[in-house]
Amino acid sequence: MKFCSQCGSPVSWQTPSGDHRPRFVCSSCSTVHYQNPKIVAGCLPLWRGQVLLCRRAIEPRRGFWTLPGGFMENDETMEQAAVRETLEEACVRVEGLELYTLFDLPHIHQVHVFFRARLVDTNFAAGEESLEVGLFHEAEIPWPELAFPTVGHTLEYFFEDRVRQLYPVRNEPLAPLIALSRRTPWNNFDR
Amino acid sequence: MKFCSQCGSPVSWQTPSGDHRPRFVCSSCSTVHYQNPKIVAGCLPLWRGQVLLCRRAIEPRRGFWTLPGGFMENDETMEQAAVRETLEEACVRVEGLELYTLFDLPHIHQVHVFFRARLVDTNFAAGEESLEVGLFHEAEIPWPELAFPTVGHTLEYFFEDRVRQLYPVRNEPLAPLIALSRRTPWNNFDR
């Protein structure tokens, strides 16, 4: 950020009076420009024991497999965002969404939220942001080719929880070092 | 938003090519300025069956009671935000945080997240944004004087769940009309 979005004057990086941390402040109209974390919402779409994954057609991580998901927009709920992203990336509808995993990613100013969901049918197809879309049994998951650590963790938790048929909501931070120190197959490629 | 924060030129409200919704787009450098929902994180701080509430010293809802909470900042987790806000507003530390309620507020582009938490001691005090801070048994909760619907819902769920000692994580949308149609005492004042 270099200019004030209200008046167009240059901004400076300073701690406003009464505040505890530096912000972008307008040199002319004094507007304080707050910057806050963004929510990425996605689905773990299920069909008869299989999980739907999308192979990304766009950067970052083009060519790698992901659960459908993306940035939550204004005017929608997290659940609506997850449904919309699944429709956009896999051209298919989901229902029965249940909040499942929430990962804090403070180093990139994001929170990733995934919902377990049922596919309404198997008429999926690659959306504009996907190269291909497919259903995978647990043994078929392409662990070394997953796009993001939060996708890998969500899948790991799911297969673990499925044994007991209990799916507690999970919230945990995922810092770069934590991700690297976990010896899970899907993040080998991340080193 | 009137000006581009990257180059200072005027922005226009248009749908960028390849996008599905209008955004602020720079007329000069073509930067697309995305706007996304913000997370408000807070605590339900507990001490021997009592709940800590803060009476707000600032707008909105000055003079009304709230659970400590506020906007999540970049570089922190939701849990860290909830702990920080409790320290700022009630001058007290909490521990043992457990994710509890998540409310989607699409009409104001916010998600409110509350954690159940234990107070480490009762040396609380009014922070800069509070007029007073106190502990309340269930029968003492000032329902008609609660600041926000998400605070009221979180307290209702807590006293309901406490009977069974089971605290499932809850996620639900809270639109203005939904809030008004619920006949709960704490939102009478909101009409």
Side-chain angles (χ1 to χ4, degrees):
Chain A
M1 167 160 241
K2 295 171 188 159
F3 298 92
C4 176
S5 55
Q6 287 307 303
C7 78
S9 302
V11 293
S12 64
W13 182 247
Q14 60 180 84
T15 303
S17 68
D19 204 338
H20 305 286
R21 54 161 61 204
R23 317 273 183 187
F24 287 110
V25 181
C26 179
S27 55
S28 174
C29 73
S30 300
T31 297
V32 179
H33 297 279
Y34 297 94
Q35 297 185 310
N36 303 88
K38 293 183 198 303
I39 296 172
V40 169
C43 277
L44 175 68
L46 300 166
W47 179 265
R48 297 183 184 168
Q50 297 170 89
V51 173
L52 180 139
L53 295 175
C54 305
R55 200 152 73 87
R56 289 173 63 81
I58 56 171
E59 296 294 347
R61 308 292 286 164
R62 186 178 196 277
F64 288 80
W65 291 90
T66 187
L67 293 169
F71 287 106
M72 180 182 176
E73 301 277 9
N74 282 348
D75 306 312
E76 67 184 1
T77 66
M78 294 189 289
E79 190 171 316
Q80 287 168 340
V83 169
R84 176 182 52 73
E85 289 287 347
T86 306
L87 189 59
E88 288 175 9
E89 297 179 5
C91 305
V92 69
R93 296 209 167 267
V94 285
E95 62 184 11
L97 277 72
E98 297 283 347
L99 185 65
Y100 188 39
T101 54
L102 299 97
F103 299 99
D104 296 285
L105 301 157
H107 56 297
I108 54 171
H109 311 156
Q110 293 179 7
V111 175
H112 289 198
V113 180
F114 290 96
F115 293 81
R116 286 179 297 119
R118 286 188 305 273
L119 286 178
V120 299
D121 57 48
T122 56
N123 296 326
F124 51 78
E128 282 179 20
E129 298 181 4
S130 304
L131 296 170
E132 55 179 317
V133 176
L135 288 173
F136 295 81
H137 286 286
E138 180 175 0
E140 300 164 342
I141 300 288
W143 297 103
E145 292 163 50
L146 294 184
F148 306 110
T150 56
V151 170
H153 280 299
T154 298
L155 290 169
E156 285 183 323
Y157 279 133
F158 173 69
F159 294 122
E160 191 180 312
D161 290 344
R162 190 167 66 173
V163 177
R164 293 172 302 144
Q165 293 282 307
L166 281 177
Y167 303 93
V169 177
R170 298 167 187 273
N171 171 221
E172 58 185 41
L174 205 62
L177 285 175
I178 292 173
L180 291 179
S181 70
R182 284 184 64 132
R183 295 207 200 117
T184 47
W186 55 263
N187 71 14
N188 285 340
F189 60 84
D190 243 3
R191 280 170 201 155
Chain B
M1 168 160 238
K2 295 169 190 159
F3 298 92
C4 176
S5 55
Q6 287 308 304
C7 78
S9 302
V11 293
S12 64
W13 182 248
Q14 59 179 86
T15 303
S17 67
D19 204 339
H20 306 285
R21 53 160 63 203
R23 319 272 183 187
F24 288 111
V25 181
C26 179
S27 56
S28 173
C29 73
S30 300
T31 297
V32 180
H33 297 280
Y34 297 94
Q35 296 185 311
N36 304 87
K38 293 183 198 302
I39 296 172
V40 170
C43 278
L44 175 69
L46 301 165
W47 179 266
R48 296 181 185 169
Q50 297 170 90
V51 173
L52 179 139
L53 294 175
C54 305
R55 201 153 73 86
R56 289 173 63 82
I58 55 170
E59 295 296 348
R61 306 293 286 162
R62 186 178 196 279
F64 289 80
W65 291 91
T66 188
L67 294 169
F71 287 106
M72 180 183 178
E73 301 277 9
N74 281 349
D75 306 313
E76 67 184 0
T77 66
M78 294 190 288
E79 188 171 319
Q80 287 168 340
V83 169
R84 175 182 52 72
E85 289 288 345
T86 306
L87 188 59
E88 287 175 9
E89 296 178 8
C91 306
V92 69
R93 296 208 167 267
V94 285
E95 61 183 15
L97 277 72
E98 297 282 348
L99 185 66
Y100 187 39
T101 54
L102 298 97
F103 299 98
D104 295 285
L105 302 157
H107 56 296
I108 53 170
H109 310 155
Q110 293 180 7
V111 175
H112 289 196
V113 180
F114 289 97
F115 293 81
R116 287 180 295 118
R118 287 189 304 274
L119 286 177
V120 299
D121 57 49
T122 56
N123 297 324
F124 52 78
E128 282 179 20
E129 298 180 6
S130 303
L131 295 169
E132 57 180 315
V133 176
L135 287 175
F136 295 80
H137 286 288
E138 180 174 1
E140 301 163 341
I141 299 288
W143 297 103
E145 293 164 49
L146 294 184
F148 307 110
T150 56
V151 169
H153 280 298
T154 298
L155 290 169
E156 286 182 324
Y157 280 133
F158 173 69
F159 294 123
E160 191 181 311
D161 291 343
R162 190 167 66 172
V163 176
R164 294 173 301 143
Q165 293 282 306
L166 282 177
Y167 303 93
V169 176
R170 297 167 189 273
N171 172 219
E172 59 185 41
L174 205 61
L177 285 175
I178 291 175
L180 290 180
S181 70
R182 285 184 65 133
R183 294 207 201 115
T184 47
W186 54 263
N187 70 15
N188 284 341
F189 60 84
D190 242 4
R191 279 168 204 159

